[in-house]
Amino acid sequence: MDVNAAVAAAAAIAGVLTGVIAVLAFRWSEREQKRPTRTSLHTDPVLPPGVDTVLSVLRSSAVVLDESDAVVKASSAAYALGLVRGGKLAVEPMILMARDTRRDGEIRQVELDLPRRGTGRGEALAVSARVAPLGSRLVLLLVEDLTEARRIEAVRRDFVANVSHELKTPVGALSLLSEAVMGASEEPEAVERFAGRMQIEATRLTNLVQELIDLSRVQNDDPLEDAEPVRVDELVAEAIDRCRHQAGTKQITMAAGGTADLRLWGNRGQLAAALGNLVENAVNYSPARTRVGIAARRVTAPGGDLIEIAVTDQGIGISEKDKERVFERFYRVDPARSRATGGTGLGLAIVKHVAASHSGEVTVWSSEGQGSTFTLRLPEAGSDRDRASGDQTPGLDEDDETGQTDGTTTVSSPYEPFSAPEVHP
């Protein structure tokens, strides 16, 4: 009996202890669940209702900071710009703005130039930062990337300044020359000399106005409304004829080669102007007694076959910094040579817009002192579109009266234009 009583007493005591431990564990668990953790201070419940949703749809980079300047919430754009690194705001001026706003509650805005991440060229990233209080404890930082807007504004500003200068120069020259003609009315030789200069300046002014009109047209018109199959051979021949006189003056040999019987799909006038500008540019920037080559080939692309037309010269070449700007309006690699040749600085800009409007592109390879190669890549005229437009089978060129083909054959590799049959100016 004594043993049984002892066992029963021990079991009762063990049960009581187990119950006490269970109650204590339950109470401790509840206390821990109610206690705020570091993670809970930086999650969505800390933000006012709806703020997280609004921040997710903003185009601006958004960062929310707490009292200790720790990042509570940051958009993916903020990380992409390098504003947030390692869970902290990485831009010191913005941290100081956030502290000032937290102290006095005033909204602040400033424009900053930040170093661009991932480049070794020291390019600045232009941003506009706006800081405002968010509730009683948080601060909201919104950052807009102004880099592209500033670049476009700079291009627009340069365009206005350049077009004003380019128009003023020949107009001023014509005014002075006309006064000179009037003053030399009794000297036939002087009148003839001044009149010749007036013709040169008038031609330059006419070319400038015409290229401004052409640039406006290719920017605003849809060239595919009047699209048709266009023979590349005809475009090349027209470009060579356009530059024959300039090439002959400098004893420059022009060579045409590549794959024959290729056709593009687009506006013939704009395509002829674009290729003509490339060839004219090559001739103008080539030394005397050199060669300019034009070659075409077909290349396979995922969206359909493309036609590549490469124009290669042995000219002065283009530096790395100039390559990024050669297609800007009025930008010239060598301003002195452009003025001497009557260049307007709009030719390559027109080429770029024509290529883009025809769903193509223009690229440049160049090395200083070794020449340049400009390459047009444009969609090929497909057989279905040829038949729809009533044209003949691609590769055949019917004579207007006899209906015979021209018998053109393939010559040289597309990127060996100097081995092609020479076309002497």
Side-chain angles (χ1 to χ4, degrees):
M1 294 296 293
D2 293 337
V3 174
N4 292 336
V7 172
I13 293 172
V16 171
L17 291 175
T18 301
V20 171
I21 292 173
V23 170
L24 291 176
F26 178 76
R27 294 288 179 86
W28 180 83
S29 176
E30 283 187 331
R31 188 179 300 112
E32 287 298 313
Q33 289 179 2
K34 293 179 180 180
R35 179 182 299 173
T37 62
R38 184 178 180 181
T39 304
S40 65
L41 290 175
H42 300 284
T43 53
D44 294 347
V46 177
L47 298 175
V51 172
D52 191 13
T53 303
V54 173
L55 296 182
S56 65
V57 298
L58 285 178
R59 296 180 61 183
S60 306
S61 301
V63 181
V64 179
L65 304 176
D66 63 10
E67 305 97 319
S68 61
D69 295 329
V71 175
V72 177
K73 180 74 175 180
S75 64
S76 57
Y79 287 97
L81 287 179
L83 303 179
V84 178
R85 301 176 191 173
K88 297 182 179 180
L89 187 61
V91 184
E92 186 64 25
M94 295 182 185
I95 296 177
L96 297 177
M97 288 175 58
R99 291 173 180 173
D100 293 339
T101 297
R102 188 183 299 111
R103 183 179 62 254
D104 55 27
E106 292 186 6
I107 298 175
R108 289 174 168 82
Q109 184 167 350
V110 67
E111 291 189 2
L112 301 171
D113 290 332
L114 307 178
R116 188 188 295 271
R117 297 180 64 189
T119 63
R121 294 177 291 181
E123 296 180 350
L125 188 69
V127 299
S128 173
R130 184 179 180 88
V131 180
L134 186 63
S136 59
R137 298 164 50 196
L138 305 180
V139 172
L140 173 63
L141 171 67
L142 296 177
V143 180
E144 288 279 355
D145 186 356
L146 303 179
T147 308
E148 183 65 14
R150 283 192 180 181
R151 188 193 70 80
I152 294 174
E153 180 60 29
V155 171
R156 183 183 296 109
R157 186 169 55 250
D158 290 345
F159 174 76
V160 173
N162 288 332
V163 74
S164 301
H165 173 74
E166 295 295 336
L167 288 172
K168 183 178 179 180
T169 301
V171 170
L174 287 172
S175 177
L176 292 175
L177 289 169
S178 63
E179 292 180 4
V181 168
M182 293 178 63
S185 58
E186 298 179 359
E187 302 178 28
E189 293 182 358
V191 170
E192 183 177 356
R193 184 173 66 255
F194 292 143
R197 286 296 307 169
M198 290 179 69
Q199 286 184 334
I200 294 175
E201 296 298 334
T203 300
R204 177 176 298 179
L205 181 60
T206 301
N207 292 339
L208 175 59
V209 173
Q210 184 58 51
E211 290 203 347
L212 284 170
I213 294 173
D214 292 342
L215 180 60
S216 176
R217 182 178 295 117
V218 299
Q219 286 180 311
N220 297 325
D221 293 349
D222 181 5
L224 300 184
E225 288 184 357
D226 302 320
E228 60 180 334
V230 181
R231 287 182 58 89
V232 175
D233 295 340
E234 294 177 358
L235 296 178
V236 172
E238 186 174 333
I240 291 175
D241 288 339
R242 169 177 167 176
C243 303
R244 192 178 298 275
H245 176 70
Q246 298 98 304
T249 302
K250 300 170 67 174
Q251 300 180 24
I252 293 176
T253 301
M254 291 185 286
T259 306
D261 294 329
L262 298 177
R263 298 190 181 209
L264 298 172
W265 182 259
N267 183 291
R268 192 186 192 287
Q270 292 191 15
L271 293 173
L275 183 58
N277 286 347
L278 290 181
V279 176
E280 185 176 22
N281 201 62
V283 171
N284 287 339
Y285 281 90
S286 292
R289 293 178 294 278
T290 56
R291 293 186 179 185
V292 171
I294 309 101
R297 68 172 183 175
R298 178 187 293 108
V299 295
T300 302
D305 290 347
L306 299 176
I307 302 299
E308 284 190 352
I309 307 176
V311 178
T312 304
D313 63 60
Q314 297 173 310
I316 62 176
I318 305 172
S319 66
E320 287 296 327
K321 66 180 182 65
D322 288 324
K323 285 180 186 178
E324 300 178 359
R325 301 193 60 189
V326 291
F327 295 102
E328 293 180 11
R329 306 164 190 170
F330 292 111
Y331 187 80
R332 297 181 174 117
V333 175
D334 186 350
R337 179 173 298 211
S338 294
R339 285 192 293 269
T341 58
T344 63
L346 291 174
L348 292 180
I350 292 175
V351 174
K352 176 183 177 181
H353 284 288
V354 169
S357 63
H358 283 76
S359 301
E361 64 174 350
V362 57
T363 59
V364 57
W365 172 92
S366 185
S367 179
E368 290 186 273
Q370 299 183 24
S372 306
T373 298
F374 286 84
T375 303
L376 268 174
R377 294 184 181 90
L378 299 166
E380 183 179 16
S383 57
D384 293 339
R385 285 181 293 193
D386 289 337
R387 285 192 292 270
S389 63
D391 204 39
Q392 302 298 321
T393 304
L396 298 178
D397 183 24
E398 290 194 3
D399 186 87
D400 292 340
E401 296 179 358
T402 63
Q404 298 177 349
T405 61
D406 62 356
T408 306
T409 57
T410 301
V411 293
S412 86
S413 169
Y415 292 104
E416 296 175 357
F418 299 139
S419 64
E422 298 178 357
V423 181
H424 295 280

